[in-house]
Amino acid sequence: SQQGEEDPQALSIQEGENATMNCSYKTSINNLQWYRQNSGRGLVHLILIRSNEREKHSGRLRVTLDTSKKSSSLLITASRAADTASYFCATALSGGSNYKLTFGKGTLLTVNP
Amino acid sequence: NAGVTQTPKFQVLKTGQSMTLQCAQDMNHEYMSWYRQDPGMGLRLIHYSVGAGITDQGEVPNGYNVSRSTTEDFPLRLLSAAPSQTSVYFCASSKDPRPSNQPQHFGDGTRLSIL
C-alpha cells in the first residue's frame, strides 16, 4: 500500500503564478522527499526534509513538513513552463522497515505560457 | 559519469516469454531498487537490494526475480511474461542503504509491452 498521497491529482496554472501541492502520509517517518518527473523520463530528486525540520528552501522551491498532521507541502514560486511535470512525494517508515521507499500517485502540474 | 543506466529502453514481448531488464550504476551505490509505474498507480516497489548478495521483496514482487552479484548491476527477470506486467520499469540507487536518508538516482526507464 502507498504511504504517501499527493493532492491535487492535477493542477493547471499560468506562468508566473505559484503552485502548491500537498502530500499526506499514514505512519511515522524519518524523512520525506519530493521528486519531479518530466514526461517520458525518470524521476529527479528535488528536496529532502528531515522529520525534525519544519521548512526547507531550494531555489524557487519551498517544502514544509507537519509531522503532527502527517503532511507536507511543496510550493513552487514564479512558475515557468519548464516546471510542467509530475511531482511525487516519497517516504519510508521509521524504524526497521525503512529499506522500502514508497511513492504517492503524484500531482500533474501544467504551467501554461 | 553515466549514473543509472537501464537497457533496453523499449521492449515488446509475447505472453509466456522471459526476459531480463538490465540496470547498472557507476556510483558505487549500495542500495538499488526496481519500481514499476502504471497509469494512476504511481510507483510501486518490486524488489530492492542493500548490497551485493542481498535482495528482498518490495510491494509487488510476484512474477519477478532479482539477483545482485556485483555492486554495479541489479537485473530484473521476468520468467514468464504476462499482460499484467505491461508497464514502465524504473531502477534507482543510492549510496545509503536506507533510501529515506538520501536522494535516489533514477534511470530513464524501460517501457515494456506484453501482448
Side-chain angles (χ1 to χ4, degrees), chain B residues 69-115:
Chain B
S69 57
T70 67
T71 299
E72 294 78 20
D73 300 298
F74 190 43
L76 179 72
R77 297 183 184 86
L78 283 70
L79 298 179
S80 179
S84 61
Q85 294 177 305
T86 293
S87 188
V88 182
Y89 292 84
F90 289 99
C91 179
S93 73
S94 65
K95 181 65 175 176
D96 194 315
R98 295 182 187 269
S100 65
N101 292 351
Q102 275 194 341
Q104 298 298 295
H105 297 256
F106 279 82
D108 274 338
T110 293
R111 285 144 187 84
L112 181 62
S113 292
I114 300 166
L115 307 177

Side-chain angles (χ1 to χ4, degrees), chain A residues 2 31 35 40 98-99 101, chain B residues 31 35 41 98 100 104 111:
Chain A
Q2 280 159 311
N31 309 310
Y35 288 80
N98 58 359
Y99 295 109
L101 191 66
Chain B
Y31 185 87
Y35 290 87
M41 296 295 293
R98 295 182 187 269
S100 65
Q104 298 298 295
R111 285 144 187 84

Side-chain angles (χ1 to χ4, degrees), chain B residues 25-43:
Chain B
Q25 51 87 14
D26 61 358
M27 298 172 284
N28 199 32
H29 283 176
E30 293 297 323
Y31 185 87
M32 296 185 74
S33 59
W34 278 102
Y35 290 87
R36 59 177 290 174
Q37 185 176 31
D38 302 293
M41 296 295 293
L43 279 81

Side-chain angles (χ1 to χ4, degrees), chain A residues 1-2 30-31 33 35 37 40-45 48 50 88 92 95-96 98-105, chain B residues 31 35 37 40-45 48 50 57-59 90 97-104 106-108 111:
Chain A
S1 62
Q2 280 159 311
N30 286 335
N31 309 310
Q33 301 180 36
Y35 288 80
Q37 184 182 34
R41 303 299 301 274
L43 277 72
V44 174
H45 182 264
L48 182 153
R50 303 195 184 281
F88 297 88
N98 58 359
Y99 295 109
K100 300 180 182 180
L101 191 66
T102 61
F103 289 78
K105 296 179 182 179
Chain B
Y31 185 87
Y35 290 87
Q37 185 176 31
M41 296 295 293
L43 279 81
R44 292 182 291 171
L45 181 65
Y48 66 93
V50 298
Q57 296 181 349
E59 181 186 358
F90 289 99
R98 295 182 187 269
S100 65
N101 292 351
Q102 275 194 341
Q104 298 298 295
F106 279 82
D108 274 338
R111 285 144 187 84

